[in-house]
Amino acid sequence: MAETVVFVVCALGAVASGVAVFVVDSMARATFALLASFLFAAVPLLLLGLSYLGVLVVLMMVMEMMVMVVFMIMYMMNPAGLMPMSMVHNKAGALTVAAVTFAVLAAGVLLVPWPAREGSPPGDPTLQLAEAIMGPHMLVMMLVGMVLFATMVASVVLSTPRGRYDRYGDDLRRPRPDDPIRGGVGR
Amino acid sequence: MTLEAFLLLAAALFSVGLFGALSQQSVVMVMMGLELMINGVIVAAGALWFFVSPERPDGQVLVLVAITAMAVEMAVGFAVTTAIFRARDIDMVDAADDLGDRGRAQEEGRERDREQDRERDR
């Protein structure tokens, strides 16, 4: 009973703060509304007994939103709500698409005969997950690792202001790169 | 708590995120919409694991992949935003539609101007 109450409160809270993200004026407030939505949505995971994944979502989202709020302020279209302006385009169309999507998904949720439950949850779901990604599902873990590494490289390459033409000249023939701070290979 | 309740929550989160991703003009707000959509996937995958096949770890692994997708989307999204803002001073998706119809029309207009310039030079 108590679990149901917690679930209902958190579900409503997650959706309400998700809506608030796109309603509030300030993008900084939108970031914190998104953080609230993620925290509310992590509680149902914890209710399912997924303590590791639930806590992972909470910790990651708190960190991510703290970083995100900095970017939000950097790219804010409407600083501190001082310049009231419309930040949306094609609102009616987007609303229609979203409503139709929700109707279709909800109809599927309620009409599909979901399979009966097979087996019971293990005593320690975290152990189950750990054994899976270090055993039969190791390919997933390896790919995730590679993707995260590629992300680090790609985000640095994309966000650095200096490219190879700045370093090696327009014809890329400069013997030594022209860097503000010398170092690295071939210094 | 039933599977349907969890999936309805996931569907609601997904739809709200879809509305944001479609309607927002700021690149950063579009990414927030995408995050909400992935959040819906996380809830749905966790619920399917618990209510359908708790003996197999597949649902949990899917949650892990979705969390990774969220982190990657955020990092690369901000890098792309920074790159396009540095290069062209753009922070709105409407200004970065070079591959869309309007962008193609602009490109064709520029092409026509260049041709007219060449004609005049001759």
Side-chain angles (χ1 to χ4, degrees):
Chain A
M1 184 60 204
E3 280 188 354
T4 311
V5 174
V6 172
F7 173 76
V8 170
V9 169
C10 287
L12 292 178
V15 177
S17 41
V19 171
V21 170
F22 304 113
V23 173
V24 293
D25 277 342
S26 153
M27 278 164 70
R29 268 179 235 154
T31 314
F32 287 111
L34 188 65
L35 176 58
S37 175
F38 281 129
L39 295 183
F40 277 127
V43 175
L45 284 183
L46 294 172
L47 286 179
L48 293 176
L50 294 173
S51 46
Y52 167 68
L53 291 173
V55 171
L56 181 67
V57 169
V58 169
L59 291 179
M60 206 182 93
M61 286 310 142
V62 171
M63 306 279 258
E64 194 173 306
M65 292 305 135
M66 289 304 117
V67 176
M68 190 160 178
V69 80
V70 176
F71 279 91
M72 278 299 204
I73 292 167
M74 275 164 62
Y75 292 114
M76 201 181 271
M77 290 164 73
N78 178 10
L82 294 175
M83 285 163 48
M85 60 192 291
S86 170
M87 296 197 296
V88 294
H89 53 189
N90 194 14
K91 193 174 183 184
L95 211 53
T96 315
V97 171
V100 169
T101 308
F102 178 71
V104 170
L105 288 176
V109 165
L110 296 175
L111 295 180
V112 168
W114 295 102
R117 193 186 207 185
E118 280 177 23
S120 55
D124 188 357
T126 312
L127 181 68
Q128 186 194 32
L129 175 65
E131 282 179 340
I133 58 175
M134 286 297 135
H137 287 75
M138 194 183 260
L139 185 62
V140 175
M141 200 60 198
M142 289 161 70
L143 284 177
V144 162
M146 284 304 293
V147 167
L148 285 173
F149 179 63
T151 303
M152 288 179 208
V153 175
S155 52
V156 170
V157 168
L158 278 171
S159 56
T160 186
R162 288 167 57 78
R164 55 187 174 152
Y165 293 108
D166 300 309
R167 301 182 70 226
Y168 289 100
D170 290 338
D171 50 3
L172 297 176
R173 291 213 178 134
R174 202 173 284 159
R176 280 160 186 265
D178 176 20
D179 288 332
I181 298 171
R182 305 196 65 81
V185 180
R187 71 185 72 193
Chain B
M1 293 191 301
T2 59
L3 176 62
E4 281 82 2
F6 276 87
L7 291 181
L8 278 178
L9 167 62
L13 286 174
F14 187 88
S15 308
V16 172
L18 185 64
F19 165 73
L22 289 178
S23 70
Q24 295 295 311
Q25 279 188 318
S26 164
V27 182
V28 190
M29 293 296 277
V30 171
M31 285 199 292
M32 295 176 84
L34 295 176
E35 295 259 305
L36 268 176
M37 290 166 77
I38 301 179
N39 201 21
V41 174
I42 289 178
V43 172
L48 279 172
W49 169 80
F50 186 80
F51 288 104
V52 176
S53 64
E55 275 190 342
R56 297 181 50 78
D58 305 341
Q60 287 203 62
V61 175
L62 187 57
V63 174
L64 201 66
V65 171
I67 293 177
T68 314
M70 211 179 226
V72 166
E73 176 252 316
M74 204 55 158
V76 176
F78 276 128
V80 169
T81 314
T82 307
I84 198 167
F85 188 76
R86 275 223 175 90
R88 291 164 50 185
D89 209 10
I90 286 175
D91 64 346
M92 277 165 53
V93 285
D94 290 334
D97 61 350
D98 302 42
L99 298 179
D101 289 339
R102 210 186 315 166
R104 201 162 57 215
Q106 278 172 2
E107 189 54 42
E108 276 165 8
R110 276 197 289 270
E111 193 68 32
R112 215 175 305 124
D113 290 347
R114 276 196 289 271
E115 255 170 41
Q116 279 167 1
D117 286 350
R118 277 197 291 270
E119 292 277 322
R120 208 171 39 226
D121 288 348
R122 267 186 238 132

